[in-house]
Amino acid sequence: MADSISPVIGIIGGSGLYNIEGLTNTRWERIATPWGEASDELLFGELSGTKVIFLPRHGRGHKIPPSALNYRANIDALKRAGVTDIISLSAVGSLKEELPPGHFVIVDQFIDRSFAREKSFFGPGCVAHVSMAHPTCPRLGDALEASAKELGLPVTRGGTYLVMEGPQFSTLAESNLYRSWGCSVIGMTNMPEAKLAREAEIDYASIAMVTDYDCWHEDHDAVTVDAVVRVLLDNAEKARNLVKSVLPKIGAPRGLCPAGCDRALEYALITAPEARDPAALANLDAVAGRIL
Ligand SMILES: CSC[C@H]1O[C@H](OP(=O)(O)O)[C@H](O)[C@@H]1O
Ligand SMILES: Nc1ncnc2[nH]cnc12
């Protein structure tokens, strides 16, 4: 693996973030993948000399619900397009008093309660187990924290994102259960996105932008889409500024990721070379081509 990496930054835009302004040399291009269709075409562009590739997670116009997203196609398409680092932007509900609507959380842990999604690029014919102990990249987290502070955004470094299946919001009993587990925020999309980014050896960071107090807070109404959208527009503007500010910090040529995010597959494959299924391997050309 080359020791000098010229970063290509993938931005995954969540609810309310269907485009990214200020890029130059832009083009929307559909990338075919062995896993089916990504949510939309990818927007290729540049910002302050850094290559950026944007994907609206739910497609332009927000057409795809969390359970129907083709997470594998999204991550494969970004990998195929050359992405080395992903900044994932998401709307979330808050599970803590001190994280009010408008607050940003640089997530560092997840609890994955989703159950109706394809969660791995690997399977019969080519089995792999990557580490998810530390699912986000501290190097990207450092840069995001510095930028958020420079911009004066209300930000918390670290927090656990509970991934629910949805599309319905949680019951009060569920919301209180997740609070008792110490979770910070709740959303429907960061898993299996983060798992697949790890399998694809792409450094991953998640900014969770609080839109509501879910349904547990006695002084706030239970979450509705209407309430989420009202806060979302303001959050989206702050998120665009954050992206503009962070790109110069993470866009310069760099060495390998100190946390090893970009080498996650090095010790993960367990299927003996002679037992590997050629059809399974063919699908892994982008994700695992480096080690196969
Ligand atoms: C519109 S509220 C529920 C919706 O918003 C979040 O999506 P994303 O993570 O893409 O911003 C949440 O996970 C739900 O999908
Ligand atoms: N309360 C909530 N639960 C799940 N996903 C959300 N996205 C935004 N708010 C949410």
Side-chain angles (χ1 to χ4, degrees):
M1 181 169 198
D3 307 351
S4 176
I5 293 163
S6 296
V8 178
I9 310 300
I11 310 282
I12 302 182
S15 297
L17 269 164
Y18 311 108
N19 63 37
I20 192 147
E21 287 147 17
L23 299 186
T24 53
N25 297 327
T26 56
R27 68 176 198 283
W28 284 93
E29 186 179 326
R30 183 158 296 285
I31 303 292
T33 89
W35 314 98
E37 293 274 308
S39 296
D40 205 329
E41 296 172 329
L42 304 186
L43 175 64
F44 290 72
E46 279 174 39
L47 209 143
S48 329
T50 301
K51 284 189 185 160
V52 179
I53 302 181
F54 175 76
L55 172 67
R57 182 183 286 120
H58 302 275
R60 280 167 284 181
H62 202 124
K63 289 178 290 208
I64 313 173
S67 307
L69 287 172
N70 189 336
Y71 294 91
R72 292 192 298 189
N74 285 352
I75 296 297
D76 181 287
L78 291 170
K79 179 79 181 182
R80 222 166 265 284
V83 164
T84 55
D85 303 75
I86 289 177
I87 307 286
S88 165
L89 301 161
S90 303
V92 294
S94 168
L95 296 171
K96 287 186 189 282
E97 178 82 47
E98 64 272 24
L99 303 174
H103 204 89
F104 283 28
V105 179
I106 301 170
V107 171
D108 65 351
Q109 282 295 332
F110 298 98
I111 292 181
D112 184 6
R113 295 250 310 167
S114 70
F115 51 83
R117 306 166 184 196
E118 294 289 352
K119 296 197 181 192
S120 179
F121 291 111
F122 297 90
C126 190
V127 180
H129 305 279
V130 295
S131 169
M132 288 302 295
H134 303 288
T136 59
C137 177
R139 184 182 53 82
L140 295 177
D142 289 346
L144 285 163
E145 184 180 10
S147 282
K149 287 188 171 155
E150 273 164 34
L151 293 168
L153 300 178
V155 67
T156 295
R157 177 74 186 267
T160 299
Y161 175 133
L162 185 294
V163 187
M164 59 177 293
E165 185 61 44
Q168 301 84 1
F169 292 116
S170 305
T171 65
L172 178 57
E174 288 165 336
S175 200
N176 280 328
L177 176 68
Y178 307 147
R179 274 168 55 71
S180 77
W181 290 349
C183 297
S184 302
V185 294
I186 181 163
M188 305 179 191
T189 60
N190 275 205
M191 286 292 188
E193 192 175 90
K195 288 177 174 166
L196 294 165
R198 176 57 51 84
E199 287 188 347
E201 300 188 322
I202 301 176
D203 297 46
Y204 183 88
S206 165
I207 302 290
M209 302 179 290
V210 175
T211 51
D212 56 85
Y213 272 114
D214 201 37
C215 62
W216 60 269
H217 200 302
E218 285 175 2
D219 302 338
H220 291 260
D221 292 336
V223 56
T224 61
V225 166
D226 191 43
V228 168
V229 169
R230 258 180 274 135
V231 181
L232 208 60
L233 300 176
D234 193 37
N235 281 353
E237 194 48 41
K238 292 184 206 161
R240 288 195 185 93
N241 291 335
L242 181 60
V243 166
K244 272 186 213 141
S245 159
V246 85
L247 285 174
K249 294 187 176 63
I250 58 177
R254 61 166 169 86
L256 297 175
C257 174
C261 307
D262 48 16
R263 300 179 302 287
L265 289 177
E266 213 106 289
Y267 305 105
L269 272 186
I270 191 160
T271 309
E274 64 279 9
R276 292 176 191 166
D277 172 10
L281 297 186
N283 288 345
L284 293 165
D285 62 331
V287 161
R290 186 181 78 78
I291 51 131
L292 287 174

mmCIF file of all heavy atoms in Angstrom, residues 15 91-94 161 164 168-170 186-188 209 211-215 223 228, ligand 2:
data_model
loop_
_atom_site.group_PDB
_atom_site.id
_atom_site.type_symbol
_atom_site.label_atom_id
_atom_site.label_comp_id
_atom_site.label_asym_id
_atom_site.label_seq_id
_atom_site.Cartn_x
_atom_site.Cartn_y
_atom_site.Cartn_z
ATOM 1 N N SER A 15 -30.750 13.699 5.860
ATOM 2 C CA SER A 15 -32.012 14.431 5.714
ATOM 3 C C SER A 15 -31.733 15.931 5.672
ATOM 4 O O SER A 15 -31.062 16.464 6.557
ATOM 5 C CB SER A 15 -32.931 14.118 6.894
ATOM 6 O OG SER A 15 -33.243 12.750 6.897
ATOM 7 N N ALA A 91 -29.207 13.746 10.547
ATOM 8 C CA ALA A 91 -30.150 14.307 11.533
ATOM 9 C C ALA A 91 -30.400 13.242 12.594
ATOM 10 O O ALA A 91 -30.554 12.072 12.270
ATOM 11 C CB ALA A 91 -31.453 14.671 10.839
ATOM 12 N N VAL A 92 -30.445 13.658 13.853
ATOM 13 C CA VAL A 92 -30.664 12.696 14.952
ATOM 14 C C VAL A 92 -31.559 13.300 16.026
ATOM 15 O O VAL A 92 -31.664 14.518 16.158
ATOM 16 C CB VAL A 92 -29.332 12.282 15.633
ATOM 17 C CG1 VAL A 92 -28.445 11.497 14.703
ATOM 18 C CG2 VAL A 92 -28.604 13.500 16.203
ATOM 19 N N GLY A 93 -32.152 12.404 16.810
ATOM 20 C CA GLY A 93 -32.839 12.824 18.021
ATOM 21 C C GLY A 93 -31.853 12.780 19.175
ATOM 22 O O GLY A 93 -30.912 11.984 19.180
ATOM 23 N N SER A 94 -32.075 13.650 20.172
ATOM 24 C CA SER A 94 -31.184 13.678 21.337
ATOM 25 C C SER A 94 -31.724 12.779 22.440
ATOM 26 O O SER A 94 -32.930 12.751 22.712
ATOM 27 C CB SER A 94 -31.098 15.111 21.874
ATOM 28 O OG SER A 94 -30.469 15.094 23.139
ATOM 29 N N TYR A 161 -24.261 6.716 19.107
ATOM 30 C CA TYR A 161 -25.415 6.863 18.214
ATOM 31 C C TYR A 161 -26.139 5.520 18.192
ATOM 32 O O TYR A 161 -25.553 4.512 17.799
ATOM 33 C CB TYR A 161 -24.881 7.270 16.842
ATOM 34 C CG TYR A 161 -25.848 7.376 15.669
ATOM 35 C CD1 TYR A 161 -25.812 8.484 14.827
ATOM 36 C CD2 TYR A 161 -26.740 6.361 15.333
ATOM 37 C CE1 TYR A 161 -26.643 8.600 13.708
ATOM 38 C CE2 TYR A 161 -27.582 6.464 14.241
ATOM 39 C CZ TYR A 161 -27.522 7.576 13.434
ATOM 40 O OH TYR A 161 -28.344 7.654 12.325
ATOM 41 N N MET A 164 -31.671 2.737 15.037
ATOM 42 C CA MET A 164 -32.931 1.982 15.066
ATOM 43 C C MET A 164 -33.357 1.680 13.626
ATOM 44 O O MET A 164 -32.895 2.339 12.690
ATOM 45 C CB MET A 164 -34.012 2.791 15.782
ATOM 46 C CG MET A 164 -34.287 4.133 15.142
ATOM 47 S SD MET A 164 -35.609 5.068 15.931
ATOM 48 C CE MET A 164 -37.020 4.060 15.553
ATOM 49 N N GLN A 168 -40.769 4.214 11.663
ATOM 50 C CA GLN A 168 -41.500 4.877 12.750
ATOM 51 C C GLN A 168 -40.485 5.349 13.805
ATOM 52 O O GLN A 168 -39.462 4.706 14.010
ATOM 53 C CB GLN A 168 -42.484 3.899 13.405
ATOM 54 C CG GLN A 168 -43.517 3.311 12.454
ATOM 55 C CD GLN A 168 -42.990 2.102 11.687
ATOM 56 O OE1 GLN A 168 -41.848 1.686 11.871
ATOM 57 N NE2 GLN A 168 -43.821 1.557 10.814
ATOM 58 N N PHE A 169 -40.797 6.439 14.481
ATOM 59 C CA PHE A 169 -39.946 6.856 15.593
ATOM 60 C C PHE A 169 -40.169 5.906 16.779
ATOM 61 O O PHE A 169 -41.059 5.059 16.763
ATOM 62 C CB PHE A 169 -40.272 8.311 15.986
ATOM 63 C CG PHE A 169 -39.875 9.325 14.927
ATOM 64 C CD1 PHE A 169 -40.833 10.107 14.278
ATOM 65 C CD2 PHE A 169 -38.547 9.497 14.572
ATOM 66 C CE1 PHE A 169 -40.471 11.037 13.303
ATOM 67 C CE2 PHE A 169 -38.167 10.429 13.600
ATOM 68 C CZ PHE A 169 -39.135 11.194 12.969
ATOM 69 N N SER A 170 -39.354 6.058 17.825
ATOM 70 C CA SER A 170 -39.365 5.118 18.962
ATOM 71 C C SER A 170 -40.588 5.273 19.857
ATOM 72 O O SER A 170 -41.170 6.357 19.944
ATOM 73 C CB SER A 170 -38.145 5.384 19.840
ATOM 74 O OG SER A 170 -36.977 5.324 19.099
ATOM 75 N N ILE A 186 -30.035 9.326 18.628
ATOM 76 C CA ILE A 186 -30.707 8.226 17.944
ATOM 77 C C ILE A 186 -31.024 8.614 16.500
ATOM 78 O O ILE A 186 -31.427 9.741 16.229
ATOM 79 C CB ILE A 186 -31.995 7.816 18.694
ATOM 80 C CG1 ILE A 186 -32.681 6.650 17.985
ATOM 81 C CG2 ILE A 186 -32.968 8.984 18.874
ATOM 82 C CD1 ILE A 186 -33.698 5.931 18.849
ATOM 83 N N GLY A 187 -30.772 7.678 15.594
ATOM 84 C CA GLY A 187 -31.069 7.888 14.181
ATOM 85 C C GLY A 187 -31.295 6.546 13.513
ATOM 86 O O GLY A 187 -31.298 5.507 14.174
ATOM 87 N N MET A 188 -31.452 6.576 12.195
ATOM 88 C CA MET A 188 -31.826 5.348 11.485
ATOM 89 C C MET A 188 -30.834 4.917 10.406
ATOM 90 O O MET A 188 -31.094 3.938 9.705
ATOM 91 C CB MET A 188 -33.207 5.542 10.826
ATOM 92 C CG MET A 188 -34.299 5.966 11.784
ATOM 93 S SD MET A 188 -35.889 6.206 10.933
ATOM 94 C CE MET A 188 -36.841 7.012 12.236
ATOM 95 N N MET A 209 -26.404 15.692 13.871
ATOM 96 C CA MET A 209 -26.937 17.049 14.103
ATOM 97 C C MET A 209 -28.310 16.911 14.750
ATOM 98 O O MET A 209 -29.248 16.376 14.149
ATOM 99 C CB MET A 209 -27.012 17.782 12.766
ATOM 100 C CG MET A 209 -25.634 17.837 12.098
ATOM 101 S SD MET A 209 -25.651 18.646 10.503
ATOM 102 C CE MET A 209 -26.522 17.479 9.517
ATOM 103 N N THR A 211 -31.902 17.351 15.999
ATOM 104 C CA THR A 211 -33.104 18.077 15.546
ATOM 105 C C THR A 211 -34.222 18.078 16.585
ATOM 106 O O THR A 211 -35.144 18.879 16.488
ATOM 107 C CB THR A 211 -33.664 17.450 14.249
ATOM 108 O OG1 THR A 211 -33.812 16.043 14.453
ATOM 109 C CG2 THR A 211 -32.747 17.692 13.061
ATOM 110 N N ASP A 212 -34.156 17.165 17.579
ATOM 111 C CA ASP A 212 -35.312 16.998 18.489
ATOM 112 C C ASP A 212 -34.878 16.202 19.719
ATOM 113 O O ASP A 212 -33.793 15.636 19.753
ATOM 114 C CB ASP A 212 -36.424 16.236 17.754
ATOM 115 C CG ASP A 212 -35.911 14.904 17.219
ATOM 116 O OD1 ASP A 212 -35.903 13.895 17.968
ATOM 117 O OD2 ASP A 212 -35.443 14.878 16.062
ATOM 118 N N TYR A 213 -35.778 16.151 20.708
ATOM 119 C CA TYR A 213 -35.528 15.359 21.926
ATOM 120 C C TYR A 213 -36.263 14.019 21.857
ATOM 121 O O TYR A 213 -36.668 13.483 22.891
ATOM 122 C CB TYR A 213 -35.970 16.137 23.152
ATOM 123 C CG TYR A 213 -34.905 17.051 23.754
ATOM 124 C CD1 TYR A 213 -35.057 18.426 23.747
ATOM 125 C CD2 TYR A 213 -33.764 16.512 24.362
ATOM 126 C CE1 TYR A 213 -34.099 19.256 24.331
ATOM 127 C CE2 TYR A 213 -32.801 17.339 24.943
ATOM 128 C CZ TYR A 213 -32.972 18.704 24.925
ATOM 129 O OH TYR A 213 -32.022 19.516 25.501
ATOM 130 N N ASP A 214 -36.423 13.458 20.690
ATOM 131 C CA ASP A 214 -37.136 12.190 20.517
ATOM 132 C C ASP A 214 -38.481 12.292 21.248
ATOM 133 O O ASP A 214 -39.222 13.237 20.964
ATOM 134 C CB ASP A 214 -36.262 11.016 20.989
ATOM 135 C CG ASP A 214 -36.729 9.704 20.379
ATOM 136 O OD1 ASP A 214 -37.147 9.725 19.211
ATOM 137 O OD2 ASP A 214 -36.708 8.677 21.060
ATOM 138 N N CYS A 215 -38.778 11.376 22.180
ATOM 139 C CA CYS A 215 -40.102 11.474 22.830
ATOM 140 C C CYS A 215 -40.025 11.381 24.346
ATOM 141 O O CYS A 215 -41.044 11.319 25.024
ATOM 142 C CB CYS A 215 -41.023 10.380 22.286
ATOM 143 S SG CYS A 215 -40.418 8.719 22.626
ATOM 144 N N VAL A 223 -41.268 13.721 18.934
ATOM 145 C CA VAL A 223 -40.745 14.120 17.625
ATOM 146 C C VAL A 223 -41.765 13.907 16.496
ATOM 147 O O VAL A 223 -42.486 12.917 16.482
ATOM 148 C CB VAL A 223 -39.435 13.334 17.330
ATOM 149 C CG1 VAL A 223 -39.643 11.831 17.409
ATOM 150 C CG2 VAL A 223 -38.848 13.724 15.976
ATOM 151 N N VAL A 228 -38.680 18.126 12.987
ATOM 152 C CA VAL A 228 -37.322 17.819 12.530
ATOM 153 C C VAL A 228 -36.933 18.774 11.402
ATOM 154 O O VAL A 228 -35.860 19.388 11.421
ATOM 155 C CB VAL A 228 -37.232 16.347 12.043
ATOM 156 C CG1 VAL A 228 -35.933 16.096 11.286
ATOM 157 C CG2 VAL A 228 -37.348 15.386 13.224
HETATM 158 N N1 LIG B 2 -35.920 11.169 17.166
HETATM 159 C C1 LIG B 2 -35.384 10.570 16.101
HETATM 160 N N2 LIG B 2 -35.372 9.221 16.011
HETATM 161 C C2 LIG B 2 -34.825 8.635 14.930
HETATM 162 N N3 LIG B 2 -34.290 9.283 13.897
HETATM 163 C C3 LIG B 2 -34.298 10.619 13.953
HETATM 164 N N4 LIG B 2 -33.826 11.538 13.086
HETATM 165 C C4 LIG B 2 -34.065 12.741 13.598
HETATM 166 N N5 LIG B 2 -34.701 12.642 14.796
HETATM 167 C C5 LIG B 2 -34.835 11.320 15.037
#
